[in-house]
Amino acid sequence: MEKRINKEMLYSLCECSSLEKKQFEKLVEEYSCTKVSHWKKFTEYFFLTLGSGFLLSGITFFFAYNWNNIPGFWKFGIILFLLIVSIVISISRNIKILVQKMSLLGASVLVGVLLAVFGQEYQTGANAYDLFLVWTIAVFSWTAVSEFTPQWLFWSVLSNTTLILYFNQVVSGSNISYLFIGLLLLNIFILILPYMLGKMQNYIPHSYYRSLMIFVCNFLSVFGVAIWLFSETGNKDIQMNEVTLLLISIMWIVGSFYASLKIKNILMFSYFVLTVVSIVLMLLYKVLGDSETSFLIYTLYVLFGTYGLIKIISHQQRKWSYES
């Protein structure tokens, strides 16, 4: 992937050199601005994803609307036909790789539709988490070999949904710290897993996968700190779980900060700064409560905190730009 050059660096180069205007414009177009080829690629991905989403949504709503009027044989027949077609397209060599991967993603969605139809038709009485658990396991092998970032995102949604439904339906009534410990550990694992498998396939997930998963982990970490701060239970076992959640959250926050400095990722660094600002705001609320004066302090803190956040991130970005 070609290296990006900051616009400020290009303007500084223009001021301190004898570059002509045409040469400068060529540099800006080549290294700083998005090229036409990038826009074409983005458009291709966007419309293919949009079309696949509309197709799958149409299939799903078709079954939902006409459920009672469709015989059981046709319900399974239509889904299996579409599933087979999707799988055949995904392994065909004469089709674009992007279309193959989108077809595999569509097949993964249809597996869930097939499981839902089976459960409704035969009234298995299984919990909702059972369906998502089987769905998650069934499409994992496809996800592992897909080398497709949206497929990994889809699998991460299935995994998180399975865990949330399990806690709601099986261990309902338990302390919420159990759920957040599980979610935080699960998402850290999901973040690392495609990179581990990618070493054997010479595949690296797209940068937005890492950015999105790190944001989710930071979000869960902030909630982990909040649960510990505002918990008022006297149960020692629950308190121990909350302390465990707090320690895991802090370890993740500190680890992601050092990782952002090591790989010089401004988005990860921004998540860390935003996380710290949020935690400090919660500490202020814990100390000051909800009086009228405290709300004024919160407002001032948000204003100055946002300004400081922007300044810190901008300074760090400029520093890394000049270092590179």
Side-chain angles (χ1 to χ4, degrees):
M1 184 178 291
E2 65 182 21
K3 188 175 180 181
R4 287 292 196 191
I5 299 178
N6 194 295
K7 269 190 176 181
E8 294 179 3
M9 296 175 63
L10 288 176
Y11 283 111
S12 299
L13 179 64
C14 182
E15 292 175 359
C16 304
S17 66
S18 58
L19 279 175
E20 296 181 357
K21 185 177 180 181
K22 290 184 177 180
Q23 294 175 318
F24 173 71
E25 291 176 351
K26 184 178 179 181
L27 284 174
V28 171
E29 182 181 355
E30 184 173 358
Y31 292 103
S32 183
C33 297
T34 303
K35 297 181 180 179
V36 176
S37 60
H38 295 157
W39 279 109
K40 288 182 178 178
K41 188 174 182 180
F42 167 78
T43 305
E44 183 180 3
Y45 272 80
F46 175 76
F47 283 109
L48 184 59
T49 304
L50 191 66
S52 301
F54 281 141
L55 176 62
L56 292 171
S57 299
I59 294 170
T60 304
F61 284 107
F62 172 79
F63 280 100
Y65 184 78
N66 299 285
W67 181 258
N68 295 325
N69 299 324
I70 302 175
F73 174 81
W74 285 105
K75 292 175 186 177
F76 290 105
I78 293 172
I79 298 175
L80 286 172
F81 173 75
L82 293 172
L83 184 59
I84 292 171
V85 170
S86 299
I87 294 173
V88 170
I89 293 175
S90 68
I91 61 176
S92 299
R93 294 184 178 180
N94 298 326
I95 299 176
K96 289 185 177 180
I97 295 178
L98 178 60
V99 177
Q100 292 178 356
K101 293 180 178 181
M102 288 300 300
S103 298
L104 185 62
L105 179 58
S108 301
V109 176
L110 289 171
V111 168
V113 176
L114 179 63
L115 292 172
V117 171
F118 183 85
Q120 290 290 333
E121 187 69 18
Y122 293 102
Q123 295 296 319
T124 59
N127 291 319
Y129 93 91
D130 291 319
L131 183 148
F132 280 91
L133 178 61
V134 174
W135 192 359
T136 303
I137 296 172
V139 302
F140 174 72
S141 58
W142 290 349
T143 305
V145 300
S146 66
E147 298 183 9
F148 192 41
T149 304
Q151 179 80 27
W152 277 105
L153 286 175
F154 175 72
W155 190 78
S156 69
V157 171
L158 289 181
S159 302
N160 280 275
T161 305
T162 301
L163 185 61
I164 293 171
L165 290 175
Y166 175 79
F167 273 90
N168 286 338
Q169 297 177 349
V170 178
V171 289
S172 58
S174 62
N175 187 261
I176 194 173
S177 57
Y178 286 104
L179 173 61
F180 276 88
I181 290 173
L183 285 174
L184 183 53
L185 292 176
L186 174 65
N187 283 279
I188 293 174
F189 173 73
I190 294 173
L191 168 64
I192 298 172
L193 183 60
Y195 291 94
M196 294 173 59
L197 296 176
K199 291 181 178 179
M200 298 181 288
Q201 304 168 337
N202 195 24
Y203 161 71
I204 299 176
H206 198 280
S207 58
Y208 68 79
Y209 178 82
R210 179 179 60 189
S211 301
L212 184 59
M213 293 306 301
I214 290 174
F215 175 79
V216 171
C217 292
N218 278 48
F219 178 81
L220 293 171
S221 298
V222 171
F223 265 85
V225 175
I227 290 171
W228 177 79
L229 274 176
F230 299 106
S231 175
E232 298 178 354
T233 180
N235 189 310
K236 291 185 178 180
D237 291 334
I238 293 178
Q239 288 177 346
M240 197 62 169
N241 292 328
E242 291 169 352
V243 171
T244 303
L245 175 59
L246 175 67
L247 292 175
I248 296 173
S249 300
I250 292 175
M251 289 173 61
W252 166 258
I253 293 170
V254 174
S256 64
F257 169 66
Y258 280 108
S260 69
L261 295 180
K262 184 177 180 179
I263 65 176
K264 295 182 179 180
N265 188 300
I266 193 62
L267 199 57
M268 288 177 61
F269 182 81
S270 304
Y271 292 159
F272 168 76
V273 178
L274 182 60
T275 298
V276 172
V277 170
S278 302
I279 292 174
V280 173
L281 179 60
M282 291 190 297
L283 287 170
L284 285 175
Y285 183 81
K286 178 71 174 179
V287 174
L288 300 177
D290 53 1
S291 62
E292 295 179 359
T293 306
S294 62
F295 279 110
L296 176 60
I297 296 174
Y298 302 150
T299 304
L300 293 174
Y301 171 77
V302 170
L303 291 174
F304 287 104
T306 303
Y307 174 77
L309 185 149
I310 295 172
K311 292 292 291 182
I312 291 171
I313 295 173
S314 300
H315 171 74
Q316 193 65 41
Q317 186 177 25
R318 284 196 299 270
K319 179 182 176 182
W320 284 341
S321 297
Y322 289 124
E323 287 178 355
S324 60

